[in-house]
Amino acid sequence: MAAVSGLVRRPLREVTVRDAINQGMDEELERDEKVFLLGEEVAQYDGAYKVSRGLWKKYGDKRIIDTPISEMGFAGIAVGAAMAGLRPICEFMTFNFSMQAIDQVINSAAKTYYMSGGLQSVPIVFRGPNGASAGVAAQHSQCFAAWYGHCPGLKVVSPWNSEDAKGLIKSAIRDNNPVVVLENELMYGVPFEFPPEAQSKDFLIPIGKAKIERQGTHITVVSHSRPVGHCLEAAAVLSKEGVECEVINMRTIRPMDMETIEASVMKTNHLVTVEGGWPQFGVGAEICARIMEGISEKLVLEYSQAVVNIMYLNTYSIKRLKARSGQTTTLNLSCVQFPGCSCCSCHWC
Amino acid sequence: MLAALISRVLRRVAQKSAHRVLVASRNSSNDATFEIEKCDLYLLEEGPPVTTVLTRAEGLKYYRMMLTVRRMELKADQLYKQKFIRGFCHLCDGQEACCVGLEAGINPSDHIITSYRAHGMCYTRGLSVRSILTELTGRRGGCAKGKGGSMHMYTKNFYGGNGIVGAQGPLGAGVALACKYKGNNEICLTLYGDGAANQGQIAEAFNMAALWKLPCVFICENNLYAMGTFTERAAASTDYYKRGNFIPGLKVDGMDVLCVREATKFAANYCRSGKGPILMELQTYRYHGHSMSDPGVSYRTREEIQEVRSKRDPIMILQDRMVNSKLATVEELKEIGTEVKKEIDDAAQFATSDPEPCLEELGHHVYSSDSSFEVRGANPWIKFKSVS
């Protein structure tokens, strides 16, 4: 039997992002008695977006807890439970509602290990959909990557595909620190090939490590969450014109993997950051600042003029470092044509 | 308007002073029975007992603890004025019966969380005076290695010290959830002040604690002033023990350590029996202003403070009881006073001479259980190593 199965090429399983997160949580709930999930509609409703489907039936009231609509209250309860030795997963129906609880996330969770001089750790996961959805208007479309990414003591991850989603949620649950997991509602239903290693119950993706999704030599494109998909599509279009993009999927917002980004920019000398958040004080702004502070020295030292052209177009920030010649050219994003981008809420464009 | 409010407070103070020297029946030289004030009840058929037995050993212990807290706070006041302590410093002198009485009513394995006015509770929960004062002066021997300061001191089963008013409400309910989850028969005392009682998140914590029957004793430490705002100016209802709505409540004389102890025992038993949360209002008073930057006399009168000091001081109440019932002599108590003074002075000596944490440690403790990494300093060329 074994010899025969070795000859037959088994197709890779396709798993949606939703099911990947569900699997990840299920495995961790099974593995560790101290893990539990709380949030609005996570139990009997099977999750507002069905991410926790089946978990309440399997684990019951004690471990899958429906809360009233009291974000500040239940986020604080989750943090308190973490301080007392449990490992809660606190779901925000969307991260927009986390704003009501943000004091508990930052002041009670993120800062505590430091303020206590290493005495009190807070092993908690805050997860939920982040950023834009389809036509849900301004109050329900904010991306919190920059706000949470700003705070020391917090880890912030932003999965793109199913593999990311499962590996990162498992790492987040096993991490002894407060971890914010920024999912994306529009990605929940998207299926991806699930490599064999991702099917293991111990499949983990390290927090703090980016992934190069596509190798390239001409331009580095850095992104996180859903826009990673857009970047790969754009890269395919550009490839036909002879421009090879290196697409980096950040996976983690904080601690940010600058090594991978720097190594890529050293190779290509061109950088575009793509994100679903607002440009001012955003994730892209931070990447560009660090490039300027860090390797721009190495790139520019030989040349008399360091020129950086910064142009913001909608939610995409564009920077061009020209170190080889003294000239600058601007990159008009509309020429790059991100295909399939019909999802955006119109309040930006 | 202010005069009317003050006279109302003074009347309340004067009424209570009549109970100060209570009937004591001496059972032996080793203990005595005292009458304590009956607690007002809300949604409860019966409350804590109105008499209690105090043994000599307990009396001496409570006396020593309260005196230590008092002297420690006064020393902190002195160190602050000498600029050894900077930043925030919220003192709890006057409120000693609360922290000592609460500790006497629970087990060490139970849990406590409170607000920023926490020094007394840090001591009663087990931190030494030395580690507390050294944390206040920001030195490496402090209980949080100098990184937390006045408002962020932690120890086993004690979750601080919380700087954000009211945030500790849900946190405490969460600790109680963990107790219920683990099935260990432990409870959590969740303290907040009369000011924090008006926070929405307190009501959210009440709701979920009652809904899920969490073993949480919510305790409102009502010292009449939220910073500079008198209770009647901030709350539509100042019956804080009733503000749990569907949660039973007790109003307790927070200046009488025995009253606090009995009420706490009663509340703890209630929670442990699985009935869900209960609320205690401790009526107490702080002698200092809100913090060291507040003289504390612009919103209340010196006469009021003096009135409480002379008629309702918690240490004096216990002292009088013990001496009048011959559980201890004046000399013995003076001896304790001398010992406490020495302990405080030694601790202050250490706190002012211990070195500050070294700069290399600035980046430590950002993350727990992680391998070490680099933290950016004030500019890209300054880096700190961060170790868990």
Side-chain angles (χ1 to χ4, degrees):
Chain A
M1 191 64 199
V4 172
S5 67
L7 293 171
V8 175
R9 191 176 178 276
R10 241 180 295 209
L12 281 174
R13 267 180 66 201
E14 278 214 331
V15 174
T16 60
V17 171
R18 169 186 289 116
D19 289 343
I21 301 170
N22 186 287
Q23 256 181 50
M25 288 199 290
D26 190 356
E27 287 170 8
E28 295 305 303
L29 282 158
E30 198 175 82
R31 177 180 177 268
D32 188 348
E33 252 282 300
K34 300 192 289 296
V35 176
F36 71 100
L37 171 66
L38 90 170
E40 292 155 11
E41 311 301 343
V42 296
Q44 296 189 17
Y45 199 90
D46 270 336
Y49 301 101
K50 307 299 179 220
V51 178
S52 55
R53 179 170 39 210
L55 295 180
W56 175 64
K57 279 214 175 69
K58 185 172 176 185
Y59 295 102
D61 284 331
K62 181 183 171 185
R63 302 188 66 200
I64 312 292
I65 303 175
D66 274 338
T67 64
I69 307 174
S70 310
E71 272 77 7
M72 199 166 185
F74 71 69
I77 282 178
V79 174
M83 288 180 175
L86 297 183
R87 304 188 75 90
I89 306 167
C90 176
E91 177 177 304
F92 291 119
M93 196 182 280
T94 76
F95 266 96
N96 302 287
F97 314 141
S98 75
M99 230 196 288
Q100 300 192 294
I102 203 163
D103 175 68
Q104 297 289 3
V105 178
I106 307 299
N107 280 324
S108 300
K111 296 180 185 173
T112 293
Y113 192 69
Y114 188 86
M115 291 191 304
S116 65
L119 284 180
Q120 178 68 66
S121 63
V122 187
I124 188 170
V125 173
F126 297 101
R127 55 158 289 274
N130 174 62
S133 180
V136 294
Q139 289 179 344
H140 289 75
S141 302
Q142 188 167 333
C143 174
F144 285 81
W147 283 21
Y148 287 124
H150 187 54
C151 303
L154 212 54
K155 293 191 182 179
V156 183
V157 299
S158 184
W160 164 55
N161 62 9
S162 303
E163 193 185 327
D164 288 356
K166 183 174 174 185
L168 288 173
I169 190 75
K170 286 168 74 75
S171 293
I173 293 168
R174 295 190 194 190
D175 201 304
N176 285 335
N177 295 286
V179 183
V180 169
V181 182
L182 302 171
E183 300 159 7
N184 187 293
E185 196 230 314
L186 295 170
M187 294 304 293
Y188 281 151
V190 180
F192 289 91
E193 277 180 356
F194 225 41
E197 61 270 18
Q199 293 168 38
S200 150
K201 285 192 175 168
D202 282 313
F203 171 63
L204 300 172
I205 286 181
I207 295 178
K209 207 78 198 81
K211 183 182 178 201
I212 298 177
E213 297 285 351
R214 181 190 194 282
Q215 299 270 358
T217 45
H218 298 128
I219 182 165
T220 301
V221 182
V222 182
S223 187
H224 70 94
S225 190
R226 188 160 181 268
V228 172
H230 299 319
C231 295
L232 289 169
E233 288 167 14
V237 170
L238 283 166
S239 179
K240 296 197 187 91
E241 297 175 33
V243 177
E244 293 302 325
C245 298
E246 178 144 290
V247 177
I248 298 180
N249 171 9
M250 289 176 71
R251 285 178 161 178
T252 300
I253 307 292
R254 185 176 189 113
M256 196 152 70
D257 183 1
M258 274 316 291
E259 270 180 34
T260 303
I261 299 173
E262 279 183 358
S264 178
V265 175
M266 287 294 281
K267 188 171 74 172
T268 65
N269 292 313
H270 298 85
L271 171 67
V272 170
T273 68
V274 182
E275 63 189 296
W278 297 317
Q280 191 161 321
F281 303 107
V283 173
E286 174 66 18
I287 294 172
C288 295
R290 292 217 207 170
I291 294 288
M292 287 312 298
E293 278 185 343
I295 62 171
S296 62
E297 267 191 0
K298 299 175 205 159
L299 288 174
V300 155
L301 271 171
E302 304 168 25
Y303 305 96
S304 55
Q305 197 180 12
V307 181
V308 176
N309 190 32
I310 299 168
M311 184 172 84
Y312 290 109
L313 181 69
N314 297 338
T315 58
Y316 305 111
S317 53
I318 301 159
K319 299 230 186 310
R320 193 156 183 109
L321 290 170
K322 268 292 202 178
R324 300 255 175 244
S325 71
Q327 295 167 350
T328 56
T329 55
T330 60
L331 179 67
N332 186 346
L333 190 63
S334 61
C335 295
V336 177
Q337 283 174 14
F338 281 42
C341 184
S342 54
C343 64
C344 295
S345 311
C346 291
H347 65 278
W348 289 328
C349 302
Chain B
M1 176 66 175
L2 185 61
L5 289 174
I6 291 170
S7 73
R8 204 179 320 164
V9 170
L10 286 175
R11 242 179 288 133
R12 203 183 309 160
V13 165
Q15 275 164 12
K16 290 207 186 300
S17 68
H19 297 284
R20 185 169 57 76
V21 182
L22 293 172
V23 170
S25 67
R26 257 200 61 209
N27 304 340
S28 70
S29 59
N30 274 328
D31 60 52
T33 306
F34 294 100
E35 271 180 23
I36 52 176
E37 188 165 314
K38 187 175 186 305
C39 297
D40 286 353
L41 303 177
Y42 176 70
L43 295 185
L44 284 167
E45 292 297 318
E46 46 178 33
V50 293
T51 59
T52 183
V53 174
L54 176 70
T55 68
R56 179 181 143 81
E58 284 169 347
L60 291 174
K61 183 168 102 170
Y62 302 158
Y63 181 82
R64 179 184 291 269
M65 284 173 84
M66 288 203 285
L67 195 61
T68 305
V69 172
R70 172 70 57 90
R71 294 261 169 91
M72 179 178 74
E73 296 293 77
L74 294 177
K75 179 59 73 175
D77 169 281
Q78 189 186 30
L79 291 174
Y80 196 93
K81 287 170 177 152
Q82 292 170 330
K83 295 201 185 338
F84 284 108
I85 300 175
R86 295 166 316 150
F88 286 133
C89 191
H90 306 88
L91 302 177
C92 68
D93 51 313
Q95 300 183 205
E96 296 85 358
C98 294
C99 50
V100 174
L102 288 172
E103 190 65 40
I106 57 170
N107 305 324
S109 56
D110 290 322
H111 307 260
I112 300 185
I113 189 169
T114 186
S115 70
Y116 47 77
R117 200 175 300 283
H119 306 163
M121 206 136 277
C122 294
Y123 174 70
T124 53
R125 272 272 98 178
L127 286 169
S128 67
V129 177
R130 170 189 277 219
S131 68
I132 294 170
L133 287 182
T134 313
E135 185 59 34
L136 290 178
T137 54
R139 310 300 172 95
R140 62 176 68 162
C143 53
K145 303 191 176 66
K147 295 170 89 163
S150 168
M151 301 187 291
H152 306 292
M153 302 197 234
Y154 298 78
T155 188
K156 187 167 195 293
N157 296 345
F158 180 62
Y159 307 88
N162 286 273
I164 307 295
V165 174
Q168 74 273 21
L171 291 176
V175 173
L177 186 143
C179 294
K180 183 170 180 179
Y181 191 102
K182 293 182 191 176
N184 54 22
N185 205 34
E186 291 163 12
I187 60 169
C188 182
L189 304 188
T190 303
L191 286 93
Y192 59 94
D194 48 285
N198 300 318
Q199 274 267 312
Q201 57 186 321
I202 296 288
E204 292 186 14
F206 286 165
N207 183 39
M208 285 182 271
L211 199 58
W212 300 330
K213 291 202 167 19
L214 302 181
C216 186
V217 181
F218 289 104
I219 300 171
C220 179
E221 242 179 327
N222 178 8
N223 61 16
L224 298 178
Y225 296 94
M227 217 160 151
T229 305
F230 184 54
T231 49
E232 308 246 336
R233 292 205 299 130
S237 161
T238 54
D239 288 327
Y240 296 101
Y241 70 110
K242 293 183 183 172
R243 297 253 311 253
N245 198 3
F246 31 74
I247 297 180
L250 310 166
K251 189 157 81 168
V252 182
D253 179 0
M255 300 307 252
D256 178 354
V257 68
L258 296 180
C259 206
V260 176
R261 179 182 78 172
E262 291 312 310
T264 307
K265 280 186 184 161
F266 176 86
N269 282 341
Y270 181 94
C271 277
R272 274 187 243 277
S273 66
K275 297 198 186 96
I278 190 170
L279 208 164
M280 272 166 56
E281 178 188 340
L282 301 179
Q283 300 205 302
T284 184
Y285 197 84
R286 56 164 161 83
Y287 296 143
H288 268 84
H290 163 70
S291 70
M292 285 306 299
S293 56
D294 169 29
V297 288
S298 64
Y299 48 86
R300 57 184 188 172
T301 62
R302 288 184 210 275
E303 288 75 38
E304 178 188 292
I305 305 171
Q306 200 36 48
E307 184 84 20
V308 178
R309 253 194 221 279
S310 59
K311 301 238 169 66
R312 285 183 70 211
D313 184 276
I315 299 175
M316 191 176 62
I317 290 176
L318 181 64
Q319 180 173 328
D320 285 348
R321 274 195 170 129
M322 292 192 66
V323 167
N324 292 343
S325 61
K326 303 213 175 12
L327 282 179
T329 61
V330 171
E331 290 70 34
E332 269 181 304
L333 298 182
K334 268 211 179 83
E335 180 62 35
I336 292 178
T338 310
E339 287 165 13
V340 166
K341 183 179 187 308
K342 180 164 191 320
E343 184 186 351
I344 305 294
D345 286 344
D346 284 349
Q349 171 58 29
F350 180 80
T352 49
S353 57
D354 198 37
E356 287 178 345
C358 49
L359 199 55
E360 287 72 48
E361 290 173 27
L362 188 66
H364 290 351
H365 310 120
V366 173
Y367 291 133
S368 164
S369 327
D370 263 20
S371 46
S372 67
F373 63 100
E374 262 183 0
V375 171
R376 185 193 195 275
N379 63 51
W381 303 281
I382 297 176
K383 298 230 185 284
F384 296 102
K385 187 166 173 203
S386 182
V387 165
S388 290

